[in-house]
Amino acid sequence: MKKIVLAAIASVAFAGVASAQETTNALAPTKAGDNWSITLKGGIANPVHPFHGTFGDNVRGAAGLEVRKQISPTIGLGVEGTTGFNTSTWNYQPSMHNVVDGMYVGVFGAVNLNNLFAGYAGQPRVFEVELVGGTGWIHTFVPKSQGHDTNDMGVRSGVNFNFNLGESKAWTIGIKPSILWNVTNKEYTVFSARAASLELMAGVTYHFGNSNGTHSFAYAAPCDYQPYNDQINALRAMVVAQEAGIAELSATNADLTAANATLASALQQCQSRPATVVTQTDTTNTLQSVRYVFYRIGSSKITADQQPNVEMIAQYMKNNPEATVEINGYASKDGNLEFNERLAKNRAESVKTMLVNKYGIKADRIKAQGKGIGEMFKEESWNRVAICVLNDK
């Protein structure tokens, strides 16, 4: 019994080994309904070792049908059925007196040797060779005078010589020699020639159309890597530009740090000087007080070290409810003239905004205006300033 089981799975095991050797990474995906085919076949069958007479004395007609699913370009699985026609006696046994005297139904696996050893060519070759193996059920019709019909297990092996026709290879004509063993016949040993028949058939196969538009496997479209290379190159260029920008920002930061140190020194000197009092020509104003708010280059933001000057102005206006303030913004000569004019105005407005928003001084007590380029101080960085003049009524 062990020998029978081993014989039944031999073809499936061989198909698994062949499948492991196949490379299909480049094939396009397929669906469950793809790569199906149907085969009509017919020919002759004859005992391998006849009891009497010569080899061809017991020849008879045979016909069959196959339905196959091609798992890969190398491996195919299917089911088949064949019948023998009573055109002569079989080993000189009594005639059946009916058309069909035997039938076989089984499963099979096929290995395409061309694709296994030479690789898949993108579509079937004009000529290909397959090894076929399978197992199934044999039913033999026996005359009543000789006993009852018999049911046995069969093992088939053979070779298919296939000729694939047409540009799309939708049709195949095959020559299919094979041997079918009755492996449960108790009169003979397993795979005995006296319990085997030689079949020589020809078949016509139609391969149904697939979802990929062909009648067979197709290679996936090659991937176009150029867009990805372009993106990588663009990112590399961006990194180079960013590195250059970082270097430039580092240099700018060093300049700004030095400028800030200069401004801090100037601020300290400015804060250590006594406030300048200017006599107002308007007799209604008996007191004038001036405060300076210095800025960094290109900026109208009031830094933390300058906020005390604004606070002094706010405190004075709170203590003197009738007082007003005139804020004149200036810019140094660095940079574009149009930009510096806007910058001067923004510096005056920044002091006004802080007085209103932070200290609650009414906006109608504040006059803010830009005066453009300042040239009051010999030290150029001091000209980046808002000069705040307090007036009393």
Side-chain angles (χ1 to χ4, degrees):
M1 186 65 180
K2 292 182 179 179
K3 292 182 178 180
I4 296 174
V5 174
L6 291 174
I9 65 174
S11 60
V12 177
F14 179 74
V17 173
S19 178
Q21 299 178 8
E22 183 179 47
T23 302
T24 58
N25 292 336
L27 293 178
T30 58
K31 298 182 178 180
D34 291 345
N35 301 300
W36 286 88
S37 63
I38 186 169
T39 301
L40 295 175
K41 59 183 180 179
I44 58 173
N46 195 80
V48 174
H49 196 297
F51 290 107
H52 305 286
T54 61
F55 179 78
D57 289 345
N58 295 284
V59 68
R60 64 191 54 209
L65 175 71
E66 296 177 2
V67 177
R68 180 196 291 204
K69 163 71 172 177
Q70 199 67 27
I71 306 301
S72 73
T74 299
I75 304 301
L77 300 176
V79 295
E80 64 173 328
T82 59
T83 58
F85 297 99
N86 186 19
T87 56
S88 65
T89 61
W90 191 264
N91 283 325
Y92 294 96
Q93 298 297 321
S95 175
M96 283 293 301
H97 302 293
N98 62 351
V99 177
V100 177
D101 59 1
M103 59 185 297
Y104 168 79
V105 177
V107 296
F108 67 89
V111 178
N112 188 307
L113 298 182
N114 298 70
N115 294 336
L116 176 64
F117 295 108
Y120 183 54
Q123 68 171 355
R125 296 171 172 85
V126 174
F127 175 71
E128 294 180 326
V129 179
E130 292 181 318
L131 292 182
V132 182
T135 184
W137 167 62
I138 300 174
H139 182 81
T140 304
F141 297 95
V142 178
K144 291 183 179 180
S145 60
Q146 300 297 315
H148 300 285
D149 294 355
T150 61
N151 294 287
D152 297 285
M153 180 178 178
V155 173
R156 182 196 296 279
S157 65
V159 182
N160 291 341
F161 300 97
N162 296 328
F163 297 87
N164 300 301
L165 308 179
E167 182 178 354
S168 63
K169 304 297 188 293
W171 293 91
T172 299
I173 295 177
I175 306 300
K176 301 172 175 291
S178 64
I179 296 178
L180 176 62
W181 285 275
N182 184 331
V183 294
T184 56
N185 190 319
K186 297 180 181 179
E187 297 181 14
Y188 308 104
T189 60
V190 177
F191 298 111
S192 169
R194 293 191 177 275
S197 64
L198 174 66
E199 297 180 351
L200 180 60
M201 294 192 182
V204 177
T205 301
Y206 177 71
H207 304 272
F208 295 99
N210 298 333
S211 59
N212 60 18
T214 71
H215 293 270
S216 57
F217 290 90
Y219 282 116
C223 182
D224 183 8
Y225 295 101
Q226 189 58 44
Y228 302 104
N229 290 333
D230 292 342
Q231 292 181 19
I232 291 172
N233 292 333
L235 290 174
R236 286 174 177 169
M238 186 182 298
V239 170
V240 172
Q242 288 178 345
E243 290 176 348
I246 290 172
E248 183 178 353
L249 287 175
S250 297
T252 303
N253 183 62
D255 294 340
L256 291 175
T257 301
N260 184 61
T262 301
L263 287 173
S265 176
L267 174 63
Q268 186 177 6
Q269 295 177 15
C270 182
Q271 290 178 336
S272 64
R273 293 185 306 173
T276 301
V277 178
V278 180
T279 302
Q280 179 70 22
T281 56
D282 188 349
T283 58
T284 59
N285 294 330
T286 60
L287 174 65
Q288 274 198 342
S289 181
V290 180
R291 288 292 179 266
Y292 300 88
V293 179
F294 292 94
Y295 296 85
R296 293 180 179 176
I297 186 171
S299 174
S300 60
K301 180 180 179 181
I302 301 173
T303 57
D305 56 0
Q306 296 297 307
Q307 289 184 17
N309 294 333
V310 181
E311 185 176 0
M312 291 172 65
I313 298 170
Q315 190 61 46
Y316 185 90
M317 297 185 75
K318 288 180 180 180
N319 294 335
N320 299 274
E322 300 297 324
T324 62
V325 63
E326 180 177 334
I327 306 169
N328 298 319
Y330 296 90
S332 63
K333 296 179 180 180
D334 306 284
N336 179 270
L337 176 61
E338 182 180 356
F339 173 80
N340 285 333
E341 289 178 348
R342 290 197 306 271
L343 184 59
K345 179 175 177 58
N346 290 340
R347 285 170 173 168
E349 290 291 340
S350 67
V351 178
K352 179 178 179 180
T353 299
M354 180 172 286
L355 288 172
V356 173
N357 293 343
K358 186 172 183 179
Y359 298 107
I361 305 301
K362 293 184 178 180
D364 59 359
R365 298 175 62 191
I366 305 169
K367 180 181 179 181
Q369 56 189 350
K371 292 293 188 176
I373 304 299
E375 296 180 344
M376 300 78 68
F377 302 104
K378 181 178 178 181
E379 175 60 45
E380 188 63 26
S381 62
W382 292 9
N383 291 317
R384 305 177 192 123
V385 65
I387 299 177
C388 307
V389 181
L390 288 161
N391 299 307
D392 282 331
K393 290 186 179 181

